[in-house]
Amino acid sequence: MKKIYVVGIGPGGAEYMTPQARHAIEESDAVVGYTVYVDLVKDLCEGKIVESTAMKQEVDRCKIVLQHALEGRTVAFVCSGDAGVYGMAGVMCEVAEDHPEVEIITVPGITAACSGAAVLGAPLIHDFAVISLSDLLTPWETIVKRLEAAGEADFVICLYNPKSKKRRDYVDQAAEIVSRFRPWDTPCGYVKNIGREGEKGTICTLQELMDNDDIDMFTTVFIGNSSTRVINGRLVTPRGYHV
Ligand code: SAH
């Protein structure tokens, strides 16, 4: 019986991919994933079966992967960033639950929180919370509760899935919730297209996250905590060293 690698390829091109991820793809007979991610690794796919699928067919994609494995192939199931952070590693295990004979190996990658933080400076040096604003699978009330809790506990907050066509004002709502606990001039930032063409990092205030048309679904947002500041154009959360 063959293996399924659920591979986090990092945020962008080849230079963000770990050697472990590259080896997993090279070793595989088939590569499956969302079209954009399969495209990012196409140079490694020569001579392999390649299947790319549209965005909102996650479970179907897992079933395709499982089928390849049951037919005796080693499969690389590629995800952006880390495969275990809003990635496919979990749902793949669920879909393959009745097939314990299939080995599932999660290959970690650089998640957008880390690669985006590196673009801005060092905003995640202290405790931080990662919250997805997508309410496709999580009720909005739950997201609000987590934003409130993270705001109150003074976590630096990193927002994934900040916006989509249907969710234009969710970042505004998130900023408003956090503003109950932090001043509107709290240093924040956002990074678009990390590691890809058009990468752009912006440092701003909590206020400037409101009504911000620059933020889209390919953006990761960072909200500083009470000690985050801007040092020489870098967004930095001091950890408390005496300097
Ligand atoms: N598994 C991925 C996250 C998938 S959720 C990871 O670990 O990074 C998708 C969200 O992640 C996007 O809406 C965006 O907020 C963030 N994201 C993923 N890749 C990104 C990139 N290259 N640039 C900016 N944000 C990114």
Side-chain angles (χ1 to χ4, degrees):
M1 190 52 64
K2 296 291 173 134
K3 287 179 275 200
I4 296 173
Y5 289 110
V6 193
V7 183
I9 62 168
E15 67 269 36
Y16 289 91
M17 208 184 294
T18 66
Q20 187 194 11
R22 181 168 299 113
H23 291 153
I25 295 170
E26 281 168 355
E27 202 201 298
S28 296
D29 307 303
V31 179
V32 180
Y34 171 51
T35 322
V36 175
Y37 311 144
V38 169
D39 226 45
L40 287 168
V41 300
K42 65 173 182 297
D43 291 351
L44 300 172
C45 294
E46 218 171 291
K48 300 183 191 301
I49 299 170
V50 176
E51 281 197 50
S52 48
T53 58
M55 198 61 167
K56 285 185 187 131
Q57 302 166 354
E58 287 87 355
V59 174
D60 291 342
R61 230 181 294 157
C62 290
K63 288 181 181 162
I64 292 171
V65 171
L66 178 63
Q67 194 54 41
H68 279 300
L70 292 173
E71 287 168 13
R73 294 182 197 99
T74 296
V75 198
F77 187 12
V78 294
C79 313
S80 81
D82 184 90
V85 179
Y86 309 117
M88 301 307 292
V91 63
M92 188 65 241
C93 292
E94 291 179 280
V95 166
E97 189 167 3
D98 296 333
H99 294 277
E101 73 279 14
V102 176
E103 194 182 355
I104 300 176
I105 299 158
T106 306
V107 180
I110 307 175
T111 190
C114 298
S115 52
V119 172
L120 294 176
L124 305 182
I125 289 292
H126 213 293
D127 301 338
F128 64 97
V130 176
I131 300 175
S132 166
L133 295 189
S134 169
D135 62 353
L136 287 178
L137 302 169
T138 307
W140 179 245
E141 303 77 62
T142 304
I143 297 170
V144 166
K145 216 187 270 176
R146 291 178 184 165
L147 286 164
E148 288 168 345
E152 183 173 22
D154 202 29
F155 280 102
V156 174
I157 300 170
C158 181
L159 301 177
Y160 282 44
N161 296 305
K163 255 184 204 180
S164 74
K165 283 202 187 76
K166 286 198 200 128
R167 302 181 273 115
R168 294 306 307 167
D169 69 335
Y170 282 23
V171 175
D172 300 29
Q173 292 190 49
E176 190 281 318
I177 290 167
V178 176
S179 78
R180 298 176 204 160
F181 309 98
R182 299 174 203 181
W184 279 110
D185 64 356
T186 298
C188 295
Y190 55 93
V191 192
K192 244 173 137 152
N193 298 317
I194 306 162
R196 302 181 190 163
E197 209 181 300
E199 177 184 278
K200 188 174 150 228
T202 306
I203 291 177
C204 62
T205 63
L206 186 57
Q207 179 75 61
E208 286 163 341
L209 291 181
M210 300 287 280
D211 249 337
N212 189 322
D213 286 336
D214 217 14
I215 297 171
D216 60 17
M217 62 189 288
F218 302 108
T219 307
T220 300
V221 177
F222 298 79
I223 302 178
N225 70 5
S226 60
S227 55
T228 303
R229 56 197 191 96
V230 181
I231 304 177
N232 295 328
R234 315 287 285 155
L235 188 66
V236 178
T237 303
R239 186 155 175 227
Y241 292 109
H242 296 289
V243 289

